[in-house]
Amino acid sequence: MEFAAPPFLQPLLARPVAILGAGVSGAGVRALLAAVGATGIGYDKNGEEFTAAAARHHGLLVFSPGFPPDHPWLACARLAGVACWSELDFAALFWRGPLVAITGTNGKTTLTEFLNHALRSVGVDAHATGNIGYPFSRLAAELRGGNAATVAICEVSSFQAETLRQFQPDAVLWTNFAEDHLERHGDLGRYFAAKWKLVERIKPAGIVLAGTSVQKFAHVFGRRLPEAAAIGSEGQPADPQLAGSVFADYPQRENFVLAAAWWRSARFPAAALYAAAHTFPLGRHRLSRVAEIDGVTYWNDSKATNFHAVEAALAGFVSPVALILGGRPKGGDVAAFVERIGRRIKHAFLLGEAGAELAAHCATQGISHTRCDSLAESVGRAAEFCGPGDQVLLSPGFASFDMFRSYADRGDQFEQLVRGLQSSAARLG
């Protein structure tokens, strides 16, 4: 089948397309343009700036999710009459197959990867895409739009969802909702409204599935979910069929509950989903055990970049832990967060831009704590503080970009530091 832009789009592709952002999303847009014989010009804060003069050369602009809706470059483009679409919207115009959108404050990457894994296990041509680091535009380019049997499982962040105009999913799975990204959205209501765009964009015959916390906040903000959307994702009893899998316990159990609800709606056999659960490898930096050294166990949960994720991790430990916490603030009520987790902390090792504020709230709550200048210092001090039976948990609760390239870089460095402790202990032993 010929792969070409929709007829209404072709006049806009006659001139080079402006691409805002030089990261993976921008590269994906370039690949999709090339696949349909069009060209693009990139603009980025570390490269060429988008100006009123530049706008005159373009009929269409495609922007990466790092550009908020009120970004001056987007305002400049709109003023010049340039059509402005997000990367996700642009890719959706070329996609021919079913589209399942996954969102949530936490768990969306795991759910995206798990549904992709499960569908492939039953012979479906499925592809995980979107906010997982593999842009929808690149998938559309590499598969030339796919076909009626090609399923895209697309992780959608609030940054991507808030501007949607073309993207129309066949299903929306919304795992949970909690405080996050307030540095961009301003307050919880706007954050919820950004994700709600996915519900508004669902196809007429599509299905929406929402976890317990999503239902609660929908009521708070006066939003009406479809009656069939409500999934009791929290507080479910143990499922013997999940024993030994990554979904046996919370927080990962919530992801399985949402997956199972969609799986039933798609009429796939339940046994196949349980089988897939037992062969699914959880992604790195998600509450994974690194090592036990002199009776102290070290855990890497670097992907916990918000308060909800930290609280979910702490809930899995039977006794208070030595918690490594901090990073770049993302907004939210830090005082309330510290108060909620205080009883689960034996000692907090605080680092990054949020360190001073966290220390002040720890002092107010009477939580034993230490300010640290680096991750290496926090790991070293935790090793000195802890004894046999203790748990050291890296679950930062904040963004990584004040000290690291990404949450993965932070987690990798933590694991290297723990391995160093392990080597030293072995030499001494």
Side-chain angles (χ1 to χ4, degrees):
M1 184 183 294
E2 181 185 1
F3 185 49
F8 83 90
L9 184 59
Q10 290 175 9
L12 293 176
L13 300 182
R15 289 186 283 170
V17 174
I19 305 169
L20 298 195
V24 292
S25 293
V29 173
R30 283 184 181 276
L32 183 50
L33 288 170
V36 296
T39 60
I41 296 176
Y43 300 89
D44 188 78
K45 64 180 180 180
N46 296 319
E48 185 174 353
E49 291 195 11
F50 187 84
T51 63
R56 291 195 290 269
H57 298 288
H58 305 288
L60 173 64
L61 178 151
V62 181
F63 57 95
S64 300
F67 287 80
D70 61 353
H71 194 281
W73 291 2
L74 289 172
C76 176
R78 294 185 186 108
L79 188 63
V82 179
C84 298
W85 293 336
S86 70
E87 179 268 333
L88 215 57
D89 271 339
F90 186 63
L93 294 171
F94 296 86
W95 189 252
R96 301 186 180 110
L99 177 57
V100 178
I102 310 290
T103 198
T105 300
N106 289 302
K108 55 186 178 291
T109 300
T110 297
L111 181 53
T112 298
E113 293 173 342
F114 176 54
L115 271 187
N116 184 65
H117 172 79
L119 285 170
R120 289 188 167 214
S121 75
V122 294
V124 175
D125 184 20
H127 300 266
T129 187
N131 194 53
I132 62 169
Y134 180 45
F136 194 22
S137 52
R138 182 166 292 281
L139 175 67
E142 293 178 351
L143 298 188
R144 301 183 67 80
N147 56 54
T150 311
V151 182
I153 310 297
C154 188
E155 178 184 329
V156 184
S157 71
S158 60
F159 291 8
Q160 293 172 308
E162 65 183 336
T163 58
L164 291 180
R165 296 170 57 197
Q166 309 293 335
F167 185 91
Q168 277 196 295
D170 297 275
V172 173
L173 281 65
W174 189 344
T175 58
N176 47 51
F177 183 80
E179 200 172 54
D180 198 13
H181 295 305
L182 302 192
E183 83 289 1
R184 170 141 165 180
H185 298 299
D187 59 40
L188 272 180
R190 292 189 185 92
Y191 176 40
F192 191 88
K195 288 183 174 293
W196 187 263
K197 282 278 190 179
L198 282 168
V199 178
E200 295 175 341
R201 296 297 306 162
I202 194 78
K203 287 182 180 176
I207 180 173
V208 176
L209 300 170
T212 302
S213 57
V214 180
Q215 299 162 46
K216 169 190 155 187
F217 281 99
H219 178 74
V220 168
F221 297 125
R223 306 277 185 164
R224 188 165 188 166
L225 285 162
E227 189 174 337
I231 304 299
S233 62
E234 296 179 3
Q236 294 294 319
D239 186 340
Q241 295 184 80
L242 291 174
S245 77
V246 299
F247 302 107
D249 301 305
Y250 282 90
Q252 297 302 340
R253 178 68 186 286
E254 185 169 44
N255 291 319
F256 185 86
V257 172
L258 267 292
W262 179 82
W263 196 258
R264 287 191 298 271
S265 74
R267 301 186 184 281
F268 290 111
L273 188 67
Y274 279 102
H278 284 276
T279 58
F280 177 70
L282 192 63
R284 293 190 62 223
H285 312 295
R286 295 164 175 83
L287 196 56
S288 55
R289 184 180 182 277
V290 180
E292 181 181 325
I293 305 169
D294 295 332
V296 179
T297 307
Y298 294 79
W299 299 83
N300 173 12
D301 192 34
S302 184
K303 199 174 191 300
T305 59
N306 56 58
F307 304 160
H308 180 262
V310 176
E311 292 174 61
L314 289 171
F317 293 89
V318 296
S319 58
V321 306
L323 178 65
I324 299 175
L325 185 68
R328 175 162 291 172
K330 300 164 67 181
D333 192 339
V334 179
F337 165 62
V338 172
E339 183 178 5
R340 290 195 301 271
I341 65 174
R343 65 186 179 86
R344 297 185 177 276
I345 299 174
K346 185 172 184 178
H347 191 94
F349 297 90
L350 311 174
L351 70 161
E353 292 175 6
E357 183 178 7
L358 286 167
H361 294 307
C362 283
T364 299
Q365 296 296 324
I367 300 169
S368 176
H369 64 280
T370 302
R371 286 285 307 278
C372 301
D373 292 329
S374 67
L375 183 60
E377 181 186 354
S378 68
V379 171
R381 286 183 176 270
E384 292 171 359
F385 174 85
C386 292
D390 284 337
Q391 314 282 335
V392 176
L393 170 64
L394 169 69
S395 192
F398 294 83
S400 59
F401 302 115
D402 56 342
M403 301 173 71
F404 308 93
R405 293 190 303 274
S406 63
Y407 76 80
D409 178 39
R410 177 170 59 190
D412 287 341
Q413 290 195 36
F414 175 74
E415 292 187 0
Q416 289 169 7
L417 290 164
V418 173
R419 301 296 182 202
L421 290 177
Q422 195 171 36
S423 297
S424 297
R427 286 196 300 272
L428 293 173

